[in-house]
Structure formats: C-alpha cells, structure tokens
Amino acid sequence: MNHRLAAEPGPDRAPHVVPLGVLLAVFAALIFLTCVTVWVAGIDLGEWNLFGALAIATVKAALVALYFMHLRYDSPFNALLFVTGLAFLALFLGLTLLDAVAYQPDIETFREAAKAR
C-alpha cells in the first residue's frame, strides 16, 4: 500500500513552482485592492457600500486561493468551484446584511424610545 502524501511528487505528479513575478503581481494586486477598499469606505454610496466591500473582498479571497494556495494550477474545475462558492457567499452575506440595513431605522427608533424612558 502506498502511503505517500498527495502533495508529494511522484512519477505522475511534479511539484509546481510559481514564478516570483506572478507572486509579486498578485501581492501588488492585493495591496491595490486594499487601498481601493479604504478609498471606497470613505465614499458614501448608500446601500452600495456593502456590495462594493463584499465584491472587493471576494476578488481578494479568490486571488489568495488561486495563486498563493495554488488552486490556479490544480484542476480548473476545483478553481471554478472555489470562485463560485465565494461568489455565492458574497451574495448571501450581501442579501442578509441588506436586510439588516433595511431595519436600521426601526432599531434607531427603538433605541431612542428606550433612552426616553
């Protein structure tokens, strides 16, 4: 029985080395997207602030998983599943938080009424 690890190189599997230029480009993209996140946080877009932040976070998570976790060089189906899962997570969190934002005026009214007592 063969007890080698799946990531261990074998006759049909070679280790993958990501070029330094690719890693630096992804790092630069992550730094840029972090700056964009801070910039967008300072702009009042109303309800769209949430969706903008989630979209940027989804792109950043996808970059980390695809390049730093080597999903990009694995089976394309695995990368597709991961990115699709991230997109649905962002969608569901966005819809949940949008619902919470819709009730914010009611919460503020309740807080003001509680302070008045």
Side-chain angles (χ1 to χ4, degrees):
M1 200 185 261
N2 191 356
H3 294 289
R4 290 188 312 164
L5 296 175
E8 192 174 307
D12 60 339
R13 186 176 178 99
H16 180 78
V17 178
V18 180
L20 182 61
V22 172
L23 292 177
L24 290 175
V26 172
F27 176 70
L30 289 171
I31 294 296
F32 172 75
L33 288 171
T34 300
C35 293
V36 169
T37 302
V38 172
W39 177 69
V40 168
I43 299 172
D44 184 22
L45 299 175
E47 295 177 358
W48 292 101
N49 276 351
L50 173 67
F51 290 110
L54 283 175
I56 294 169
T58 301
V59 170
K60 286 169 51 177
L63 282 173
V64 168
L66 290 174
Y67 288 97
F68 292 129
M69 296 173 69
H70 302 273
L71 250 166
R72 164 87 169 77
Y73 305 103
D74 198 10
S75 169
F77 183 68
N78 291 338
L80 177 69
L81 283 178
F82 182 77
V83 172
T84 304
L86 280 178
F88 275 103
L89 177 66
L91 175 71
F92 294 147
L93 284 176
L95 291 174
T96 300
L97 292 174
L98 187 63
D99 186 48
V101 170
Y103 288 106
Q104 190 65 33
D106 296 335
I107 294 170
E108 293 301 324
T109 304
F110 177 76
R111 285 184 182 162
E112 290 173 7
K115 284 181 185 178
R117 286 187 211 171

